[in-house]
Amino acid sequence: MQTFETLIVSVQDGVARLTLNRPEVMNAIDRRMAAELTEALRALGAREDVRVLLLQGAGANFCAGGDVRGMRDAGPRSAEEARRGMDLYRDMTLALHGFERPVIAAADGVAYGAGFSLLLLADMVLLGERARLCMVFGRVGLIPDCGALYTLPRVVGLQRARELVLSAREIDAAEAQAMGVALEVVASDALLARAQAMAGALTQASPLALALAKRHFQGAFDNDLPATLAHESHGQALALASAYHRDAVRRFTERQPPLFQWPQARR
């Protein structure tokens, strides 16, 4: 895997670990990071040995959002110039949203602005107890980006999404979990171990079944029941014909341990 200026990327035992690596600015996303994230996601998506993506931030924080100092240093821009610049963030968003393998995001510390938006693009979000999330855009006269206007109301509901965006208030890990943003909240020192355990378990699941389920979930709020049933019929036919399914059935009937088993959360 190639090296990047703003990211650390590694692949081991089917798990691709993608780390936002600008800890000196709380992993704020600048134009270079957006471009590198798109490039890395596309490259990882093309690799057959990648079964799961684990997204995290270097240091004590996940991501502080867009690089505000970089915005200042760029100077005044016309709306058209700014729109062209946003194309980088559009491509990054589509690359993460369209990633066909499961995406687990593990976040501690700050997840502000675009950092919050990245979490909403993951399939499962784990937060450390120190995590603080904020749709901070309104504080600097902006609107949410990186897909948040699409994902946030789907995750938390329309009225709550409006409140989070219009108030630009901070929420802690417990409130984020209560809203459905986070699947689990764990001790900060156990966060990455829990995320790795979940990622490792998913490498043992059927990659075909995971990809089919994920693809259909992406349109879950846009399809009616007949369209969903058609998707299920097509996907299930492919899954039923797979070697993984046949082996799983054989293991079940012969009372052998299953290949795939979810790791229990610590209580």
Side-chain angles (χ1 to χ4, degrees):
M1 190 76 194
Q2 70 184 92
T3 57
F4 295 95
E5 184 176 318
T6 67
L7 307 173
I8 300 173
V9 183
S10 64
V11 178
Q12 185 176 3
D13 299 329
V15 178
R17 189 186 293 262
L18 200 165
T19 305
L20 311 179
N21 189 36
R22 299 183 72 211
E24 70 282 1
V25 289
M26 296 189 288
N27 304 313
I29 303 174
D30 61 3
R31 292 166 63 93
R32 180 177 293 277
M33 180 183 280
E36 290 190 345
L37 273 167
T38 302
E39 186 177 354
L41 287 164
R42 289 173 176 171
L44 291 169
R47 290 182 53 160
E48 292 186 1
D49 60 331
V50 172
R51 305 284 289 274
V52 183
L53 175 66
L54 177 54
L55 180 64
Q56 62 189 58
N61 298 286
F62 178 67
C63 176
D67 189 340
V68 178
R69 289 185 178 86
M71 297 176 197
R72 177 201 61 192
D73 295 343
R77 289 172 291 172
S78 69
E80 179 59 26
E81 289 171 333
R83 188 200 62 77
R84 288 197 296 269
M86 286 301 299
D87 288 347
L88 286 170
Y89 299 90
R90 176 203 63 197
D91 293 345
M92 175 192 74
T93 300
L94 291 174
L96 184 54
H97 181 259
F99 199 81
E100 288 207 334
R101 286 59 173 266
V103 177
I104 299 173
D108 206 10
V110 167
Y112 268 31
F116 194 164
S117 300
L118 288 181
L119 295 183
L120 294 168
L121 291 164
D123 297 298
M124 287 178 277
V125 176
L126 302 183
L127 294 180
E129 291 174 332
R130 297 187 304 103
R132 296 177 287 128
L133 286 65
C134 183
M135 281 283 148
V136 72
F137 302 93
R139 298 187 190 179
V140 289
L142 298 175
I143 66 170
D145 55 22
C146 298
L149 289 175
Y150 176 87
T151 55
L152 185 62
R154 284 167 166 77
V155 173
V156 304
L158 186 56
Q159 181 168 238
R160 181 61 72 190
R162 286 171 175 156
E163 185 260 338
L164 289 174
V165 170
L166 297 179
S167 69
R169 72 177 180 88
E170 181 184 275
I171 60 175
D172 62 15
E175 187 172 6
Q177 185 180 28
M179 288 182 181
V181 173
L183 177 67
E184 295 180 13
V185 175
V186 299
S188 295
D189 60 2
L191 176 64
L192 293 182
R194 175 61 178 160
Q196 186 65 46
M198 292 168 64
L202 286 170
T203 65
Q204 301 303 308
S206 164
L208 174 63
L210 291 177
L212 289 168
K214 177 166 179 173
R215 193 176 305 157
H216 298 325
F217 273 131
Q218 288 174 340
F221 292 95
D222 304 312
N223 293 322
D224 57 17
L225 180 57
T228 299
L229 290 171
H231 285 313
E232 288 178 351
S233 178
H234 173 71
Q236 196 73 305
L238 294 175
L240 284 165
S242 69
Y244 187 102
H245 169 68
R246 291 193 297 272
D247 186 51
V249 170
R250 179 190 61 80
R251 285 175 171 272
F252 179 82
T253 57
E254 296 177 3
R255 297 186 178 181
Q256 295 181 9
L259 287 174
F260 172 55
Q261 189 163 344
W262 195 243
Q264 293 296 313
R266 293 181 180 179
R267 299 297 182 186

